[in-house]
Amino acid sequence: PEVSAALTEHLRQEGVTVCDGVGYQKIEQDGKTVKLTCQTNGGEKIIKAEQVLAAAGRKPNTKSLHLEKAGIDLNAKGGVEIDEFMQTSNPDVYAVGDVTGNDMFVYMAAYGGKLAARNALNGNKSNYSNATMPAVVFTDPQMATVGLTEAQAKAKGFDVKTSTITLDNVPRFIASRETDGLIKLVADSKTDKLLGATILAPEAGDSIQTMVIALKAGLTTEELGDTIFPYLTAVEGLKLAAQSFNKDVKKLSCCAG
C-alpha cells in the first residue's frame, strides 16, 4: 500500500487527478467530449474528458477455437489450462503465453515457449516457475516488482521482516533531484533470506533485475548489503535498503560497507 500511496501522491503533485475507490457505471459521447458516470463514496460523479483510455487488462481469445473438440480444457479465466510443463489436458498439445491467461508478459511467453518446445521434444523435464518473474509498470516514476510482497509472504506463512527507504536516502536520486519514490525489500526473519522487492523510482525496471538475480541466487539481506555497488547509481539503493534492516542508513558515510 505504501508504494501505491507514494505513486498516487506523486501523480497528484504533477497535476493528475486521481479518483480511487470508484465504480464505473456508464460512458457516453457528449458532443466532442466523453462523459463517464461513476459511483464514489460521496455519491454519483460525472467526469468529462476529450478521450478515455480503458486499461482493463486482457483476456484469452479462445471462444471461437472450439478447443473442447480437441479435448483441451479451459481455466476459470477462459485460458487454456496447462500444467507445470506447459502441457494441456490433451497430452499432444502444449500452450504458452497470453492464451493461458497466466503471467501475461512477452518475456514470460518466450520463456514458456522454450520450455514447451523442450518438453514436447524431449519429455516433460523442464518446469515452469514464475518465482523470480520481474514486472514493470511504466509510470513516471516506474514501479517494478519481483518475488513476494509483504502480504503474499505472510499469507504463505513466512515470519516476515521488511525494509523501506525513500529515495532521499539514495545519493543518485539526491543528485538528480528525483526523490519521489521508495525501495521496499521483504525477507524471512528466521533465515534472513530475501523474498521479494518493490521499487518505485526512475528506471526501476533496470534496477529490479539485480533483485531477480539476488532472489534466484537465494541471497540474504546481509549478503546483499555486503555486496559492492558502484556509487551514485540507482541500483545502489538496493544495497542501502538491505543495510537498513539493521542500520540507520542516514547515519552512514558515503559508500559505507
Side-chain angles (χ1 to χ4, degrees):
E2 58 265 62
V3 176
S4 57
L7 179 57
T8 299
E9 179 58 27
H10 177 78
L11 291 173
R12 284 174 173 156
Q13 290 177 4
E14 293 285 304
V16 178
T17 300
V18 179
C19 301
D20 51 10
V22 301
Y24 304 105
Q25 296 176 321
K26 61 180 178 179
I27 184 169
E28 305 169 282
Q29 189 74 41
D30 185 14
K32 294 184 178 181
T33 64
V34 179
K35 185 168 65 174
L36 178 67
T37 303
C38 54
Q39 190 69 33
T40 71
N41 294 332
E44 187 176 276
K45 182 176 181 179
I46 295 177
I47 301 173
K48 291 186 177 182
E50 294 178 0
Q51 299 287 340
V52 171
L53 170 64
R58 304 182 300 279
K59 61 181 181 180
N61 185 16
T62 57
K63 288 184 178 180
S64 63
L65 298 179
H66 305 294
L67 296 176
E68 69 280 357
K69 294 182 179 180
I72 298 174
D73 296 334
L74 301 181
N75 56 35
K77 301 175 184 177
V80 176
E81 183 70 31
I82 57 172
D83 61 17
E84 69 272 25
F85 303 111
M86 319 304 295
Q87 192 173 38
T88 71
S89 52
N90 181 332
D92 295 325
V93 179
Y94 291 73
V96 303
D98 290 3
V99 75
T100 67
N102 302 320
D103 301 335
M104 300 172 84
F105 300 102
V106 63
Y107 44 90
M108 296 306 287
Y111 165 64
K114 176 180 66 177
L115 299 184
R118 286 178 180 173
N119 290 332
L121 295 174
N122 302 315
N124 291 340
K125 299 176 182 178
S126 299
N127 290 43
Y128 181 94
S129 172
N130 60 3
T132 57
M133 176 188 74
V136 184
V137 180
F138 291 95
T139 46
D140 181 18
Q142 294 176 11
M143 182 175 68
T145 63
V146 66
L148 301 177
T149 64
E150 180 180 357
Q152 289 170 336
K154 288 180 178 178
K156 287 182 175 291
F158 287 102
D159 186 2
V160 175
K161 63 178 180 178
T162 65
S163 164
T164 302
I165 64 169
T166 51
L167 298 190
D168 55 4
N169 290 289
V170 183
R172 170 63 185 175
F173 298 120
I174 296 173
S176 62
R177 299 180 182 179
E178 298 174 293
T179 54
D180 287 341
L182 56 86
I183 299 170
K184 180 175 182 177
L185 302 182
V186 180
D188 183 347
S189 62
K190 293 181 179 178
T191 64
D192 196 42
K193 189 174 180 179
L194 288 159
L195 299 174
T198 302
I199 305 172
L200 178 66
E203 305 307 324
D206 293 335
S207 297
I208 200 66
Q209 193 61 28
T210 296
M211 286 306 304
V212 171
I213 297 170
L215 293 184
K216 197 171 182 66
L219 294 189
T220 63
T221 69
E222 183 177 3
E223 289 170 333
L224 182 61
D226 285 343
T227 301
I228 298 173
F229 282 76
Y231 177 62
L232 213 61
T233 60
V235 75
E236 183 190 19
L238 295 175
K239 176 186 178 76
L240 294 168
Q243 289 178 322
S244 72
F245 275 102
N246 301 306
K247 300 175 182 178
D248 183 353
V249 294
K250 290 184 180 295
K251 296 180 180 179
L252 296 179
S253 61
C254 166
C255 312

